[in-house]
Amino acid sequence: MRAPVLADTLTWSFRLLFALVALLAGAWLLHGVQRVPADSRAVVMRFGQVVRTAGPGLLLTWPAPIDAVILLPSQGRQVQFAPDVLEARSPMDEGMQDVPGQGAATSPNARDNTWFFMTGDGALVHLRTMLFYQIDDPVAFVTAGDHIEPLLRRALIAAAVHLCASRSLDGILVARPEAAGTPRLATQRERFALDLVSEVNRRLAAAADTHGGMGIRVARIDVVPSIPAGAKESFDSVLTVAQQVERSLADARTTAENRRQMAEQNRERALDEARARAQEAVHKAEERSAVVLSLGRDPSLDRRTVVDQIYRERVRSIFDIVGRVDTVPAGDHTHVLISGASP
């Protein structure tokens, strides 16, 4: 009697155990069914090796630990990367923030002053950057793994050093208002972010040729340049002095122009007066020499005749203006008293 009962118990025990194992196996297999979102891609890895990639939709894989699925953004999505976040371990993490209206704060410890670059004219500029990249090759991206962000940071720093050294501070930000309107500098400022993207991509391509591709391409870099806080005060002081110098130069130019115009007027007035006096002297000389010249042109008159006629013309001109003529005999010692002013 006991043997059949024991056999039934074992049979039901095995059935329950089988059902439990089947249930657990089904639950385990269900972990291999996943949904890839519309804006993502999946990379399937089996025991650490990439076996395939999949797009959006239903994805069937072997559950862990056989397969592992890594979800990546689709090719059209941009991934944000803030390289200066890596400086969060710096004790100047709080102090490195921009001081409103005074530029980027600096630390006495030179090792804390990161993301400062020297420009081509010997100035310092601080760049706060935000990088956005796209994943072109998901397999290469997954294979590169943790090497991507350090590589991006090094490429960005090298590109920033190269670009800042190749242009002046005014080609990166408006440091001197008088140079803000220069077309060449304005073009450099507008193209700084684009040139930074091109330089970073060029360095990533060079690294890919040497060490293998990372499967990424930089799409955009947002750059906020600023100058050190102390430098901004110095720039403001220089700007104030430059404006005072420009104002003094303008006043000096105005004074010099006024004096030049006054000197020009005096010169013109003196020339006119000299020309008038010379013209008057010429007229008087022509009047005095008119008789002599007219008589000299007659070849029939000799020198004595000309002198006599000139004498008569002079005497007649004297008689034309005298009111009375008194004669005194020659040899007579009579004195004549004439009232009035002396001739």
Side-chain angles (χ1 to χ4, degrees):
M1 187 67 184
R2 291 183 179 179
V5 173
L6 182 60
D8 290 342
T9 303
L10 291 175
T11 301
W12 282 106
S13 298
F14 278 115
R15 287 177 181 176
L16 288 175
L17 181 61
F18 180 77
L20 182 59
V21 171
L23 184 62
L24 292 175
W28 179 68
L29 289 174
L30 285 177
H31 282 83
V33 181
Q34 300 186 31
R35 185 182 67 86
V36 179
D39 58 349
S40 301
R41 289 175 291 179
V43 178
V44 181
M45 302 186 67
R46 183 168 299 163
F47 302 118
Q49 296 289 330
V50 177
V51 292
R52 63 189 173 101
T53 61
L58 186 62
L59 177 63
L60 300 178
T61 61
W62 287 105
I66 300 175
D67 285 351
V69 178
I70 299 175
L71 292 179
L72 298 176
S74 62
Q75 188 173 5
R77 287 179 55 191
Q78 295 181 354
V79 181
Q80 178 177 319
F81 172 61
D84 52 352
V85 173
L86 298 179
E87 305 297 330
R89 293 185 296 272
S90 170
M92 278 295 293
D93 183 44
E94 297 296 331
M96 289 301 296
Q97 303 297 326
D98 289 347
V99 179
Q102 297 183 10
T106 58
S107 169
N109 185 2
R111 296 177 64 86
D112 296 333
N113 297 325
T114 56
W115 295 99
F116 281 93
F117 301 92
M118 181 169 287
T119 62
D121 56 353
L124 284 179
V125 62
H126 180 266
L127 300 182
R128 185 171 296 279
T129 59
M130 183 68 71
L131 186 146
F132 298 87
Y133 65 86
Q134 294 175 331
I135 302 174
D136 294 334
D137 187 349
V139 176
F141 180 82
V142 172
T143 303
D146 296 336
H147 298 287
I148 291 178
E149 290 194 352
L151 176 63
L152 273 177
R153 183 173 180 272
R154 287 196 296 270
L156 180 58
I157 291 176
V161 169
H162 174 74
L163 286 183
C164 291
S166 62
R167 59 188 66 187
S168 64
L169 182 61
D170 294 293
I172 300 175
L173 54 82
V174 179
R176 295 176 301 171
E178 65 273 15
T182 305
R184 180 179 61 82
L185 297 177
T187 302
Q188 289 183 353
R189 288 194 296 271
E190 293 175 356
R191 289 194 53 83
F192 184 75
L194 297 177
D195 293 343
L196 194 59
V197 171
S198 301
E199 185 64 20
V200 171
N201 282 327
R202 187 186 69 79
R203 293 179 180 274
L204 290 179
D209 294 339
T210 306
H211 306 290
M214 300 289 174
I216 61 174
R217 176 175 54 84
V218 177
R220 190 178 92 235
I221 299 177
D222 293 342
V223 184
V224 181
S226 60
I227 57 178
K232 186 176 187 306
E233 296 178 356
S234 300
F235 270 103
D236 292 341
S237 299
V238 172
L239 178 60
T240 301
V241 173
Q243 291 175 346
Q244 292 176 352
V245 170
E246 289 295 333
R247 193 180 304 114
S248 300
L249 286 175
D251 293 341
R253 292 191 185 98
T254 302
T255 303
E257 182 62 22
N258 291 334
R259 290 182 178 178
R260 189 192 66 80
Q261 292 179 359
M262 292 178 61
E264 185 69 19
Q265 292 175 357
N266 293 333
R267 185 183 70 87
E268 292 293 336
R269 189 182 305 109
L271 285 175
D272 293 340
E273 291 177 357
R275 291 191 186 99
R277 288 195 297 269
Q279 192 69 24
E280 183 179 0
V282 170
H283 288 164
K284 289 182 178 178
E286 288 177 352
E287 289 177 358
R288 291 176 181 176
S289 59
V291 177
V292 177
L293 292 175
S294 61
L295 294 175
R297 294 191 186 96
D298 189 356
S300 61
L301 300 178
D302 55 5
R303 181 177 181 279
R304 183 171 184 80
T305 304
V306 171
V307 172
D308 291 342
Q309 289 188 2
I310 291 173
Y311 173 76
R312 286 194 291 273
E313 290 292 336
R314 296 281 176 85
V315 171
R316 186 178 64 183
S317 62
I318 293 173
F319 285 160
D320 289 341
I321 60 177
V322 299
R324 189 182 67 182
V325 177
D326 296 328
T327 60
V328 179
D332 191 353
H333 298 286
T334 304
H335 292 79
V336 178
L337 299 177
I338 301 174
S339 62
S342 59

